[in-house]
Each structure stands twice: as structure tokens, then as C-alpha cells.
Amino acid sequence: MRAAVRDLSREVAHAGARDPAPRAGRRAAHRQGALEAGQTLLGGGGRPGAGRSSRGRTRLAAAAARRGGRCMTMAALPVIDAAALVAGDPSARRALHAASRDVGTFRLAGMPFRRDAVSLARRLFALDAAARQQLDIARSAHFRGFSVMHNERDWREQIHFARERPARAAGQPWHRLEGPNLWPPDPALRCDVQALLRGAEDIGRLLLASLAQAIGASPDAFGAASDDAYTLLKLIRYHAQPDGGERRRGVAAHCDFSWLTLLFQDDIGGLQVLDRGVRWIDVPAAPELVVVNIGELLQFATWGDLFAAPHRVVNPSRSRERLSVPVFINPPLAHTIRRVGRQPAAPSWPDPAHIHRVLPLAQVADAGVEHLHFGASEWRRKGENIWCAECCAAAPG
Ligand SMILES: O=C(O)CCC(=O)C(=O)O
Ligand SMILES: [Fe+2]
């Protein structure tokens, strides 16, 4: 394991992180109870027509209460101890697997650079207009740089970086996704962006290897050892809500097209995840914890055992912008994603509203679809702008 991950274990030890395993076990029981009891315990907010008969609800609520079940609250989002994962603790791996399967979102304790990520976003968005113009994504052949997104899905500004590589002369369309970044004039910013990418990749490797081991596969089943990953770093600024008007969403409900995503956020809040079709729950902004969302690629690779968490953002503030920094942990573009394990009898978790997904859920469950080429799929999403299987179905290819 690399230096950043070793540092991480020291951080966790200092932070005095608790052993997550018993906590996760209790949480899983609570969650199970809450889900089974449906709207009775959750106080509404589920799909219309999804409730059980009132006799059934009462019985299930009573059963949940007997097990100590109660409604899943924000505080119940699992917290995973990175130091225990570094140490190879099997109970931490089990907690990681349970969180990734039952919720699709968890928070990781002991990430050393959480504050740096948000302050880096602050420094980049403070660049003057001329410097920002230099970073305009329109100047990049490789989808890097600054863009203002005001469309049906996004209301925010963002800056994209990835690993610095030379552009390829010719080849597959997806080769265009790799190439040089657009860099701000201050070299310190460039160093800090690259350090953040490297550190996040170390954490990504740790999580991918731990998840693979937790499901009984080889540690490299999700390419955790790959040195050639297509890791994307996005720094985001959400506008404050306009005075008097209706609240505007920052990003609509979606899943990430990644193995998994590490998400650093400031103290404003506004991120919500969908607890398996039941209700939206707030993900509190906790300075010492980093949010991790399982992405569509792990969901595909595991036949839906690991759950790509639908999530969305509304900046709750009328006076302050919100800053966040997702790092999308991906395979190399040349990688073909193969299924791991056997096809399970996947439970169905119906969506309460439309969720933007790159892969249709039917494809995740389709035994006839054995693999997925990441570069080709990523090109379709980014290069051809087919960012949602449903919304963009009729879009020209
Ligand atoms: O800003 C956030 O908290 C989430 C951003 C996000 O989900 C995304 O860009 O994919
Ligand atoms: Fe996302």
C-alpha cells in the first residue's frame, strides 16, 4: 500500500475512530426494519402505492420494533473506518460490503485531505475572469476545464481535471478522453490538483481491493492495482438560491458512472441519497468524513449486488455558494468490465421518480450482457452526450 494510505491509518488512529462493525450490524438491522415497515416507520415519502396493507404494516412495524428497528436517519449512514481496512480487518470489510450493498453510500473516516479538497475548489473558483477564460472547457479537446452548466440536470459551475497525459494521434474515439489538462497559471494549483488526484486514487485502490475481497474475489477483481486508471476530478460550485424565487436544484437525481466516487463537501449540506426507493435522506456535511457513493460500474460488475446510490443536490443557502469535489474512481479506459460472481436473484428497488442512469437497470440484470467496455461506454456518455439511458434514448448517436 502506498504512503498516502499508510498516513491514513495514523490519521484514523488519532481521530479515535470507532470500530464500525457492530455499528454497521445494528444499522443494517435498523434499516431492514425500516424498509420492511415501509411508510409506517418512515413517516411517508415512499412511492405512491408502494405501501402494504395496514395490517401488514402494523405487523411489520411491530416486528421491526422488536428488533430495535427505527427509521433510518442521517446519523445511521454507515461510517467505515479506513484504518481497519488498511489493516485488512475482516469485520471492517464486511461492514464495507454491507454498506455498499444495502445503501450504496457510506462515509469514510480518516481521509487526510478532505479540507484541502474544498479549499482547492475555493482557490480555483476565485481565479479572475482572464484566468478562467484560459481554462474554458471549449479550449480543450479532452473535456477538461471550466464550464457553466445551466440545463435540465445541472445548475452549477464545474472544473474538470484528470491525469496529465499526452494526446493520442489517432485511434478509437475514446482515446480523446485522455490528454493534457488546462492548467491555471499558478503552479501551486497544478501541484495541489495532482496531489489530490494521487491521494484519492490510493483511497480508491484501498476501497476496490477491500470490496473485492469482501465478496470473495481476488483483490484485483476491480482493477485495484491498475496504474492506468481514468480518474476524473471535478470541482463544483453551486450557486446560492435566488432571492424570493423557487429553490433550484444543483444536480438532479442520478447515479455516477464510475466504480465508485469519493465526495468532499463543504459545510453547507444539500446532498441527498435515495435509500433504496423508499425516501431521500440528507447526507450531513461532516468535516472529518468523506462520502463514498457506489457507482454504476460496480453495480454492473456485481450483478447489482453492490448498489449504485441515486443522489441529488440542492444548495439550501440563499446567501452562500456550495462547494464540493467528487473524484470518480474508474478503471482504465481500455478496460473491459466483466461480471464477478454469479447472477443473484436481484431484489427490485423501484425508483420513486426518474433517476438519470447511464446504464439501464435492465442491462445490469441481463444475463446476456457479459461485459462492458469502459472506454466505449464513457465515450458514449461524454463524447456523444448520452448521459442518461432514458432521457437521451432518442438523441443522435
Ligand atoms: O456536489 C455533490 O455533493 C454531488 C455531486 C455529484 O453527485 C456529481 O457531480 O456527480
Ligand atoms: Fe453524482
Side-chain angles (χ1 to χ4, degrees), residues 77-99:
L77 265 183
V79 175
I80 302 297
D81 177 354
L85 293 179
V86 171
D89 177 347
S91 69
R93 281 192 196 139
R94 278 197 298 277
L96 172 69
H97 182 203

PDB file of all heavy atoms in Angstrom, residues 77-99:
ATOM      1  N   LEU A  77     -26.337   6.643   8.441  1.00  0.00           N
ATOM      2  CA  LEU A  77     -25.490   6.302   7.293  1.00  0.00           C
ATOM      3  C   LEU A  77     -24.220   5.653   7.817  1.00  0.00           C
ATOM      4  O   LEU A  77     -23.579   6.180   8.723  1.00  0.00           O
ATOM      5  CB  LEU A  77     -25.108   7.564   6.516  1.00  0.00           C
ATOM      6  CG  LEU A  77     -25.962   7.955   5.319  1.00  0.00           C
ATOM      7  CD1 LEU A  77     -25.379   9.180   4.652  1.00  0.00           C
ATOM      8  CD2 LEU A  77     -26.101   6.825   4.330  1.00  0.00           C
ATOM      9  N   PRO A  78     -23.843   4.519   7.249  1.00  0.00           N
ATOM     10  CA  PRO A  78     -22.684   3.806   7.813  1.00  0.00           C
ATOM     11  C   PRO A  78     -21.415   4.644   7.751  1.00  0.00           C
ATOM     12  O   PRO A  78     -21.207   5.405   6.809  1.00  0.00           O
ATOM     13  CB  PRO A  78     -22.550   2.587   6.901  1.00  0.00           C
ATOM     14  CG  PRO A  78     -23.803   2.505   6.120  1.00  0.00           C
ATOM     15  CD  PRO A  78     -24.456   3.831   6.117  1.00  0.00           C
ATOM     16  N   VAL A  79     -20.587   4.465   8.783  1.00  0.00           N
ATOM     17  CA  VAL A  79     -19.250   5.073   8.793  1.00  0.00           C
ATOM     18  C   VAL A  79     -18.242   3.935   8.739  1.00  0.00           C
ATOM     19  O   VAL A  79     -18.293   3.018   9.553  1.00  0.00           O
ATOM     20  CB  VAL A  79     -19.031   5.924  10.061  1.00  0.00           C
ATOM     21  CG1 VAL A  79     -17.586   6.450  10.097  1.00  0.00           C
ATOM     22  CG2 VAL A  79     -20.018   7.086  10.106  1.00  0.00           C
ATOM     23  N   ILE A  80     -17.359   3.980   7.761  1.00  0.00           N
ATOM     24  CA  ILE A  80     -16.362   2.916   7.589  1.00  0.00           C
ATOM     25  C   ILE A  80     -15.008   3.461   8.013  1.00  0.00           C
ATOM     26  O   ILE A  80     -14.627   4.577   7.657  1.00  0.00           O
ATOM     27  CB  ILE A  80     -16.324   2.460   6.108  1.00  0.00           C
ATOM     28  CG1 ILE A  80     -17.704   1.962   5.655  1.00  0.00           C
ATOM     29  CG2 ILE A  80     -15.257   1.385   5.907  1.00  0.00           C
ATOM     30  CD1 ILE A  80     -18.233   0.749   6.385  1.00  0.00           C
ATOM     31  N   ASP A  81     -14.297   2.630   8.735  1.00  0.00           N
ATOM     32  CA  ASP A  81     -13.010   3.016   9.300  1.00  0.00           C
ATOM     33  C   ASP A  81     -11.899   2.633   8.320  1.00  0.00           C
ATOM     34  O   ASP A  81     -11.613   1.445   8.123  1.00  0.00           O
ATOM     35  CB  ASP A  81     -12.880   2.265  10.638  1.00  0.00           C
ATOM     36  CG  ASP A  81     -11.547   2.506  11.311  1.00  0.00           C
ATOM     37  OD1 ASP A  81     -10.675   3.159  10.708  1.00  0.00           O
ATOM     38  OD2 ASP A  81     -11.385   2.016  12.446  1.00  0.00           O
ATOM     39  N   ALA A  82     -11.290   3.634   7.703  1.00  0.00           N
ATOM     40  CA  ALA A  82     -10.273   3.353   6.684  1.00  0.00           C
ATOM     41  C   ALA A  82      -9.071   2.613   7.281  1.00  0.00           C
ATOM     42  O   ALA A  82      -8.484   1.746   6.631  1.00  0.00           O
ATOM     43  CB  ALA A  82      -9.825   4.658   6.032  1.00  0.00           C
ATOM     44  N   ALA A  83      -8.710   2.946   8.518  1.00  0.00           N
ATOM     45  CA  ALA A  83      -7.541   2.294   9.127  1.00  0.00           C
ATOM     46  C   ALA A  83      -7.779   0.793   9.272  1.00  0.00           C
ATOM     47  O   ALA A  83      -6.874  -0.016   9.066  1.00  0.00           O
ATOM     48  CB  ALA A  83      -7.247   2.914  10.482  1.00  0.00           C
ATOM     49  N   ALA A  84      -9.016   0.428   9.621  1.00  0.00           N
ATOM     50  CA  ALA A  84      -9.319  -1.001   9.768  1.00  0.00           C
ATOM     51  C   ALA A  84      -9.248  -1.702   8.409  1.00  0.00           C
ATOM     52  O   ALA A  84      -8.831  -2.859   8.321  1.00  0.00           O
ATOM     53  CB  ALA A  84     -10.699  -1.167  10.407  1.00  0.00           C
ATOM     54  N   LEU A  85      -9.627  -1.000   7.355  1.00  0.00           N
ATOM     55  CA  LEU A  85      -9.497  -1.597   6.018  1.00  0.00           C
ATOM     56  C   LEU A  85      -8.031  -1.766   5.641  1.00  0.00           C
ATOM     57  O   LEU A  85      -7.623  -2.784   5.086  1.00  0.00           O
ATOM     58  CB  LEU A  85     -10.201  -0.732   4.961  1.00  0.00           C
ATOM     59  CG  LEU A  85     -11.729  -0.644   5.052  1.00  0.00           C
ATOM     60  CD1 LEU A  85     -12.263   0.281   3.954  1.00  0.00           C
ATOM     61  CD2 LEU A  85     -12.381  -2.021   4.935  1.00  0.00           C
ATOM     62  N   VAL A  86      -7.243  -0.745   5.953  1.00  0.00           N
ATOM     63  CA  VAL A  86      -5.805  -0.838   5.658  1.00  0.00           C
ATOM     64  C   VAL A  86      -5.209  -2.044   6.391  1.00  0.00           C
ATOM     65  O   VAL A  86      -4.373  -2.772   5.851  1.00  0.00           O
ATOM     66  CB  VAL A  86      -5.071   0.459   6.078  1.00  0.00           C
ATOM     67  CG1 VAL A  86      -3.556   0.290   5.974  1.00  0.00           C
ATOM     68  CG2 VAL A  86      -5.529   1.636   5.223  1.00  0.00           C
ATOM     69  N   ALA A  87      -5.686  -2.273   7.620  1.00  0.00           N
ATOM     70  CA  ALA A  87      -5.159  -3.395   8.417  1.00  0.00           C
ATOM     71  C   ALA A  87      -5.736  -4.738   7.961  1.00  0.00           C
ATOM     72  O   ALA A  87      -5.379  -5.776   8.509  1.00  0.00           O
ATOM     73  CB  ALA A  87      -5.483  -3.153   9.888  1.00  0.00           C
ATOM     74  N   GLY A  88      -6.665  -4.711   6.999  1.00  0.00           N
ATOM     75  CA  GLY A  88      -7.237  -5.965   6.494  1.00  0.00           C
ATOM     76  C   GLY A  88      -8.227  -6.606   7.452  1.00  0.00           C
ATOM     77  O   GLY A  88      -8.492  -7.805   7.371  1.00  0.00           O
ATOM     78  N   ASP A  89      -8.811  -5.809   8.321  1.00  0.00           N
ATOM     79  CA  ASP A  89      -9.764  -6.315   9.318  1.00  0.00           C
ATOM     80  C   ASP A  89     -11.020  -6.877   8.613  1.00  0.00           C
ATOM     81  O   ASP A  89     -11.736  -6.134   7.944  1.00  0.00           O
ATOM     82  CB  ASP A  89     -10.127  -5.126  10.231  1.00  0.00           C
ATOM     83  CG  ASP A  89     -11.173  -5.478  11.266  1.00  0.00           C
ATOM     84  OD1 ASP A  89     -11.803  -6.545  11.140  1.00  0.00           O
ATOM     85  OD2 ASP A  89     -11.371  -4.657  12.182  1.00  0.00           O
ATOM     86  N   PRO A  90     -11.278  -8.184   8.771  1.00  0.00           N
ATOM     87  CA  PRO A  90     -12.415  -8.777   8.054  1.00  0.00           C
ATOM     88  C   PRO A  90     -13.756  -8.153   8.447  1.00  0.00           C
ATOM     89  O   PRO A  90     -14.658  -8.044   7.617  1.00  0.00           O
ATOM     90  CB  PRO A  90     -12.376 -10.254   8.447  1.00  0.00           C
ATOM     91  CG  PRO A  90     -11.054 -10.481   9.087  1.00  0.00           C
ATOM     92  CD  PRO A  90     -10.524  -9.158   9.554  1.00  0.00           C
ATOM     93  N   SER A  91     -13.893  -7.725   9.709  1.00  0.00           N
ATOM     94  CA  SER A  91     -15.198  -7.165  10.090  1.00  0.00           C
ATOM     95  C   SER A  91     -15.394  -5.794   9.444  1.00  0.00           C
ATOM     96  O   SER A  91     -16.514  -5.415   9.090  1.00  0.00           O
ATOM     97  CB  SER A  91     -15.352  -7.090  11.615  1.00  0.00           C
ATOM     98  OG  SER A  91     -14.484  -6.116  12.142  1.00  0.00           O
ATOM     99  N   ALA A  92     -14.295  -5.065   9.248  1.00  0.00           N
ATOM    100  CA  ALA A  92     -14.421  -3.776   8.534  1.00  0.00           C
ATOM    101  C   ALA A  92     -14.797  -4.027   7.079  1.00  0.00           C
ATOM    102  O   ALA A  92     -15.602  -3.300   6.498  1.00  0.00           O
ATOM    103  CB  ALA A  92     -13.110  -3.001   8.629  1.00  0.00           C
ATOM    104  N   ARG A  93     -14.228  -5.069   6.488  1.00  0.00           N
ATOM    105  CA  ARG A  93     -14.586  -5.401   5.097  1.00  0.00           C
ATOM    106  C   ARG A  93     -16.055  -5.801   5.002  1.00  0.00           C
ATOM    107  O   ARG A  93     -16.747  -5.437   4.055  1.00  0.00           O
ATOM    108  CB  ARG A  93     -13.729  -6.563   4.589  1.00  0.00           C
ATOM    109  CG  ARG A  93     -12.359  -6.123   4.189  1.00  0.00           C
ATOM    110  CD  ARG A  93     -11.658  -7.240   3.432  1.00  0.00           C
ATOM    111  NE  ARG A  93     -10.251  -6.946   3.393  1.00  0.00           N
ATOM    112  CZ  ARG A  93      -9.281  -7.838   3.565  1.00  0.00           C
ATOM    113  NH1 ARG A  93      -9.574  -9.112   3.762  1.00  0.00           N
ATOM    114  NH2 ARG A  93      -8.028  -7.478   3.506  1.00  0.00           N
ATOM    115  N   ARG A  94     -16.509  -6.546   5.992  1.00  0.00           N
ATOM    116  CA  ARG A  94     -17.926  -6.949   5.967  1.00  0.00           C
ATOM    117  C   ARG A  94     -18.819  -5.721   6.079  1.00  0.00           C
ATOM    118  O   ARG A  94     -19.836  -5.602   5.415  1.00  0.00           O
ATOM    119  CB  ARG A  94     -18.219  -7.929   7.104  1.00  0.00           C
ATOM    120  CG  ARG A  94     -17.822  -9.362   6.778  1.00  0.00           C
ATOM    121  CD  ARG A  94     -18.480 -10.357   7.727  1.00  0.00           C
ATOM    122  NE  ARG A  94     -18.077 -10.163   9.111  1.00  0.00           N
ATOM    123  CZ  ARG A  94     -16.935 -10.654   9.639  1.00  0.00           C
ATOM    124  NH1 ARG A  94     -16.115 -11.378   8.898  1.00  0.00           N
ATOM    125  NH2 ARG A  94     -16.633 -10.429  10.903  1.00  0.00           N
ATOM    126  N   ALA A  95     -18.410  -4.770   6.951  1.00  0.00           N
ATOM    127  CA  ALA A  95     -19.207  -3.541   7.105  1.00  0.00           C
ATOM    128  C   ALA A  95     -19.216  -2.748   5.799  1.00  0.00           C
ATOM    129  O   ALA A  95     -20.238  -2.190   5.393  1.00  0.00           O
ATOM    130  CB  ALA A  95     -18.642  -2.694   8.240  1.00  0.00           C
ATOM    131  N   LEU A  96     -18.078  -2.731   5.129  1.00  0.00           N
ATOM    132  CA  LEU A  96     -17.978  -2.026   3.838  1.00  0.00           C
ATOM    133  C   LEU A  96     -18.899  -2.668   2.811  1.00  0.00           C
ATOM    134  O   LEU A  96     -19.624  -1.982   2.073  1.00  0.00           O
ATOM    135  CB  LEU A  96     -16.522  -2.085   3.364  1.00  0.00           C
ATOM    136  CG  LEU A  96     -16.233  -1.567   1.961  1.00  0.00           C
ATOM    137  CD1 LEU A  96     -16.416  -0.050   1.909  1.00  0.00           C
ATOM    138  CD2 LEU A  96     -14.809  -1.927   1.524  1.00  0.00           C
ATOM    139  N   HIS A  97     -18.892  -3.997   2.779  1.00  0.00           N
ATOM    140  CA  HIS A  97     -19.747  -4.698   1.824  1.00  0.00           C
ATOM    141  C   HIS A  97     -21.220  -4.436   2.138  1.00  0.00           C
ATOM    142  O   HIS A  97     -22.014  -4.120   1.243  1.00  0.00           O
ATOM    143  CB  HIS A  97     -19.439  -6.205   1.862  1.00  0.00           C
ATOM    144  CG  HIS A  97     -20.240  -6.991   0.876  1.00  0.00           C
ATOM    145  ND1 HIS A  97     -20.496  -8.330   1.018  1.00  0.00           N
ATOM    146  CD2 HIS A  97     -20.854  -6.629  -0.276  1.00  0.00           C
ATOM    147  CE1 HIS A  97     -21.226  -8.757   0.001  1.00  0.00           C
ATOM    148  NE2 HIS A  97     -21.462  -7.742  -0.797  1.00  0.00           N
ATOM    149  N   ALA A  98     -21.574  -4.519   3.414  1.00  0.00           N
ATOM    150  CA  ALA A  98     -22.980  -4.317   3.792  1.00  0.00           C
ATOM    151  C   ALA A  98     -23.435  -2.912   3.402  1.00  0.00           C
ATOM    152  O   ALA A  98     -24.529  -2.719   2.849  1.00  0.00           O
ATOM    153  CB  ALA A  98     -23.158  -4.534   5.289  1.00  0.00           C
ATOM    154  N   ALA A  99     -22.582  -1.918   3.667  1.00  0.00           N
ATOM    155  CA  ALA A  99     -22.954  -0.530   3.329  1.00  0.00           C
ATOM    156  C   ALA A  99     -23.101  -0.362   1.817  1.00  0.00           C
ATOM    157  O   ALA A  99     -24.015   0.315   1.333  1.00  0.00           O
ATOM    158  CB  ALA A  99     -21.891   0.427   3.868  1.00  0.00           C
TER     159      ALA A  99
END
